[in-house]
């Protein structure tokens, strides 16, 4: 099998959105601990990340409104804790970072095929379905026929959009003569993703060569985790044996883990010093 080489342009975002950073913060400091965090602590940490108090407060308020956070008052202080919805989101991120990973080495040759036919007037529904399929790792094989590696359960996705009657899902394997590498190149736009992996390595690798102060380590780790999760969530995790020889995901993942381990001890010390946490009580309005 001929494996193709690839070079892409550098594209990366240096400033994560406040909500993305907030989810990383909650996953790092609150998930699995049955605690709530004081709003002032969040404001303090986010200020060190260059996010102002008003933006942090607005993010907390919006996330409460969306059912991603719950409030808990202790005296004059307001604390924030997870909801079932935010815990599910954070568990998914945890799984992607520490279990699924960025490199698909265990593909068994199975593909999930999803075909749909929607009325011409259903432009919004078509857009929503395509967006959700792309987020789930699918690519457009043909118009109305999308494909993803492995067995992907899309039943809840389709049901949420109310399109169960218009979608058909199959499991399949490619014919022996199929050039899977060529199919991947035609189906997925991988240039930006590869360039982002390369940019991630260039930006974060130097952080694995030195240990910053505690406060800086905490903020750096939050920013790096946020960027990494956003990156691997864009990745359809195509089988590594059919990707270009110089596909940079493995180097990027190694960089992430190395820098994370380097930042972990001072970041933990900073969190213990900066964060005011209280045990979760019964949910309050």
């Amino acid at each position: 099998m001929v494996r193709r080489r690839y070079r892409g342009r550098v594209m990366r975002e240096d400033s994560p959105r406040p909500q993305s950073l907030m989810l990383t913060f909650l996953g790092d400091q609150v998930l699995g601990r049955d605690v709530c965090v004081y709003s002032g602590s969040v404001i303090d940490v986010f200020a060190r990340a260059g996010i102002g108090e008003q933006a942090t407060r607005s993010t907390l308020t919006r996330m409460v409104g969306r059912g991603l956070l719950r409030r808990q008052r202790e005296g004059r202080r307001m604390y924030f804790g997870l909801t079932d919805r935010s815990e599910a989101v954070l568990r998914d991120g945890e799984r992607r970072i520490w279990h699924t990973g960025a490199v698909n080495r265990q593909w068994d040759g199975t593909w999930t095929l999803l075909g749909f036919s929607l009325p011409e007037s259903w432009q919004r529904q078509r857009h929503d379905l395509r967006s959700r399929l792309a987020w789930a790792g699918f690519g457009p094989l043909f118009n109305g026929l999308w494909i993803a590696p492995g067995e992907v359960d899309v039943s809840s996705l389709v049901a949420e959009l109310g399109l169960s009657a218009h979608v058909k899902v199959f499991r399949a394997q490619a014919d022996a003569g199929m050039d899977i590498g060529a199919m991947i190149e035609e189906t997925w736009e991988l240039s930006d993703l590869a360039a982002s992996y390369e940019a991630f390595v260039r930006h974060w690798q130097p952080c694995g060569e030195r240990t910053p102060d505690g406060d800086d380590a905490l903020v750096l780790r939050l920013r790096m985790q946020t960027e990494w999760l956003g990156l691997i969530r864009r990745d359809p995790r195509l089988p590594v044996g059919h990707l270009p020889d110089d596909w940079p995901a493995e180097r990027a993942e190694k960089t992430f883990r190395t820098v994370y381990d380097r930042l972990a001890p001072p970041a933990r010390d900073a969190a213990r010093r900066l964060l005011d946490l209280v045990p979760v009580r019964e949910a309050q309005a």
Side-chain angles (χ1 to χ4, degrees):
M1 178 186 303
V2 176
R3 293 174 62 188
R4 296 159 175 79
R5 296 186 59 78
Y6 174 80
R7 283 284 180 258
R9 296 180 180 177
V10 174
M11 294 183 65
R12 65 186 308 276
E13 295 181 0
D14 290 322
S15 300
R17 293 184 305 156
Q19 180 168 306
S20 298
L21 194 67
M22 185 71 73
L23 288 170
T24 301
F25 172 80
L26 295 168
D28 197 49
Q29 301 296 331
V30 178
L31 181 65
R33 300 178 64 184
D34 291 326
V35 296
C36 297
V37 60
Y38 171 46
S39 60
S41 297
V42 182
I43 290 168
D44 188 7
V45 171
F46 275 48
R48 297 165 194 266
I51 297 175
E53 179 177 347
Q54 185 57 46
T56 302
R57 290 190 183 279
S58 296
T59 300
L60 290 169
T61 300
R62 285 196 302 270
M63 291 178 70
V64 169
R66 295 178 58 196
L68 292 168
L69 285 176
R70 55 176 288 269
R71 295 186 179 96
Q72 179 171 306
R73 184 175 292 280
E74 300 284 341
R76 289 186 158 187
R77 291 191 165 190
M78 185 65 73
Y79 292 74
F80 291 85
L82 303 181
T83 64
D84 290 343
R85 182 181 177 190
S86 58
E87 183 164 351
V89 171
L90 296 176
R91 290 294 182 194
D92 177 69
E94 182 180 58
R95 176 185 59 80
R96 288 175 184 255
I97 290 176
W98 301 113
H99 301 289
T100 303
V103 181
N104 187 350
R105 300 184 183 87
Q106 300 177 333
W107 182 61
D108 63 0
T110 301
W111 297 91
T112 298
L113 291 171
L114 182 146
F116 63 90
S117 179
L118 304 180
E120 280 296 320
S121 60
W122 287 19
Q123 294 183 10
R124 179 184 59 80
Q125 291 90 333
R126 186 177 291 104
H127 170 77
D128 290 346
L129 177 58
R130 288 170 173 167
S131 297
R132 296 287 294 275
L133 289 177
W135 184 256
F138 283 80
L141 187 62
F142 296 108
N143 186 30
L145 181 62
W146 288 55
I147 188 170
E151 295 190 10
V152 183
D153 184 1
V154 293
S155 56
S156 59
L157 179 157
V158 173
E160 286 175 15
L161 295 175
L163 299 177
S164 299
H166 301 272
V167 171
K168 301 293 185 290
V169 182
F170 304 88
R171 310 288 183 221
Q173 291 192 330
D175 185 80
M178 176 72 182
D179 187 339
I180 294 175
M183 184 272 289
I184 286 174
E185 287 189 352
E186 294 166 0
T187 304
W188 281 273
E189 293 281 348
L190 297 180
S191 58
D192 288 351
L193 181 60
S196 294
Y197 275 131
E198 292 167 347
F200 183 91
V201 172
R202 284 194 298 274
H203 180 76
W204 290 106
Q205 197 170 50
C207 295
E209 300 167 0
R210 58 182 176 83
T211 302
D213 294 336
D215 293 1
D216 290 341
L218 178 60
V219 170
L220 283 171
R221 192 174 71 165
L222 288 173
R223 290 175 67 91
M224 183 183 69
Q225 282 183 265
T226 302
E227 183 177 337
W228 180 245
L229 184 56
L231 187 50
I232 60 177
R233 275 183 165 155
R234 291 168 46 203
D235 191 336
R237 297 194 74 248
L238 298 162
V240 68
H242 297 283
L243 288 171
D245 287 331
D246 58 349
W247 184 247
E250 188 167 11
R251 285 185 287 113
E253 185 168 62
K254 182 178 179 180
T255 297
F256 169 78
R257 292 178 180 271
T258 298
V259 176
Y260 184 94
D261 290 343
R262 169 76 70 167
L263 297 176
R268 282 195 298 268
D269 291 343
R272 282 194 291 265
R273 180 166 45 82
L274 295 173
L275 301 185
D276 177 6
L277 305 171
V278 297
V280 170
R281 292 191 284 105
E282 183 179 353
Q284 302 173 353

